[in-house]
Amino acid sequence: MTGHISVRESIRWLPDQASEPTSTMVLTSPDRLFVDLRIYKSESGIIESDVVLPLSRLEWAIAGTSVDPSETGGIDPVDHHWRGKWLHWIDSRNEDCADVADEGDMFPLPPDGARVLEKGRMVNSTTELETDYEEIWGSEEISNEVQPESCCLVLQLDGTGEDGKKRQGRIVRLGQYVQGFIRAGEEVVVERWKWESEWERVVKIGEGIEIPTDFVTGFGHEAQVDDEVRVGQDIWKVVEKS
């Protein structure tokens, strides 16, 4: 598998009409490690990049692993749909998510299958009720114009803080995007960055815990698997590089 930049275009909670109240992006590495950030837009429909947003603007953050379709029944030979499954490792909604997974049926859309319709059932964060849903997902090409050279890089944090709380984090750099997510007890911090002739922060939610975005954007091209980066009390480890 190559890395993939997925951007959600809309969500429909049946029987309501489709809408997109969030900016939702998933970065998935070639080894199927992903960070999925879903940020509520402001009333004017934007995501403010110049301020740190409150946790109430985070609809959902997930870091986990995407399961290969061959393990969920394969690709249907008639309509080419497959069963998607995403195992959660860190979850902004669930402190203990060891047994949490999302599943949905994925239907490639005409003319070329670049956009996908996902159908499934999950909890609606507004009503807190389990509801049938439909999501439309598009994708962005991975840019090769990022400097220093474009690459995929994944760092993880998996440890215990000085206060005894579990601290877990993942940051994925894929082409022109970086997304990071860390959770320590009830504390959550997420960030998204994009290359626009230089690295610019798109959004940050939460404070008090630092994510090593400076290392990933500035020195990621020099990193090797198993390298370690200390950020405050945390030691992040490079787990994937391509």
Side-chain angles (χ1 to χ4, degrees), residues 77-98:
V78 177
D79 64 7
H80 307 293
H81 89 275
W82 69 94
R83 184 73 172 173
K85 186 174 183 179
W86 300 269
L87 307 177
H88 294 203
W89 180 55
I90 322 172
D91 187 321
S92 63
R93 298 180 180 176
N94 303 282
E95 187 170 0
D96 182 4
C97 61

Side-chain angles (χ1 to χ4, degrees), residues 9-182:
E9 298 178 9
S10 67
I11 182 167
R12 180 187 179 203
W13 298 102
L14 275 63
D16 296 341
Q17 296 298 308
S19 65
E20 186 46 88
T22 73
S23 171
T24 292
M25 175 176 287
V26 186
L27 301 184
T28 305
S29 75
D31 286 349
R32 296 188 172 275
L33 303 177
F34 72 83
V35 172
D36 177 343
L37 300 184
R38 309 180 181 203
I39 316 297
Y40 283 120
K41 299 173 185 175
S42 69
E43 292 184 0
S44 58
I46 65 170
I47 300 293
E48 306 92 327
S49 61
D50 57 342
V51 295
V52 177
L53 300 178
L55 194 56
S56 60
R57 291 288 297 278
L58 179 63
E59 198 267 337
W60 205 356
I62 311 163
T65 304
S66 171
V67 178
D68 191 291
S70 65
E71 300 179 34
T72 59
I75 298 176
D76 186 279
V78 177
D79 64 7
H80 307 293
H81 89 275
W82 69 94
R83 184 73 172 173
K85 186 174 183 179
W86 300 269
L87 307 177
H88 294 203
W89 180 55
I90 322 172
D91 187 321
S92 63
R93 298 180 180 176
N94 303 282
E95 187 170 0
D96 182 4
C97 61
D99 298 318
V100 177
D102 293 327
E103 295 191 48
D105 292 313
M106 314 296 286
F107 297 86
L109 296 174
D112 57 5
R115 297 164 70 242
V116 175
L117 167 64
E118 176 185 341
K119 295 183 176 183
R121 187 173 177 85
M122 64 181 176
V123 174
N124 183 331
S125 60
T126 301
T127 65
E128 298 186 351
L129 298 175
E130 194 169 85
T131 308
D132 291 333
Y133 72 87
E134 296 179 351
E135 292 175 310
I136 301 292
W137 292 92
S139 61
E140 286 193 28
E141 291 188 4
I142 299 172
S143 172
N144 59 5
E145 298 181 357
V146 180
Q147 298 296 327
E149 66 185 69
S150 178
C151 68
C152 176
L153 185 69
V154 183
L155 274 68
Q156 286 188 178
L157 165 68
D158 191 8
T160 303
E162 296 170 351
D163 56 4
K165 294 180 181 179
K166 180 168 64 175
R167 299 172 74 88
Q168 292 178 298
R170 177 178 292 162
I171 184 168
V172 175
R173 172 182 167 181
L174 185 60
Q176 66 272 33
Y177 287 103
V178 170
Q179 292 199 144
F181 170 29
I182 183 172

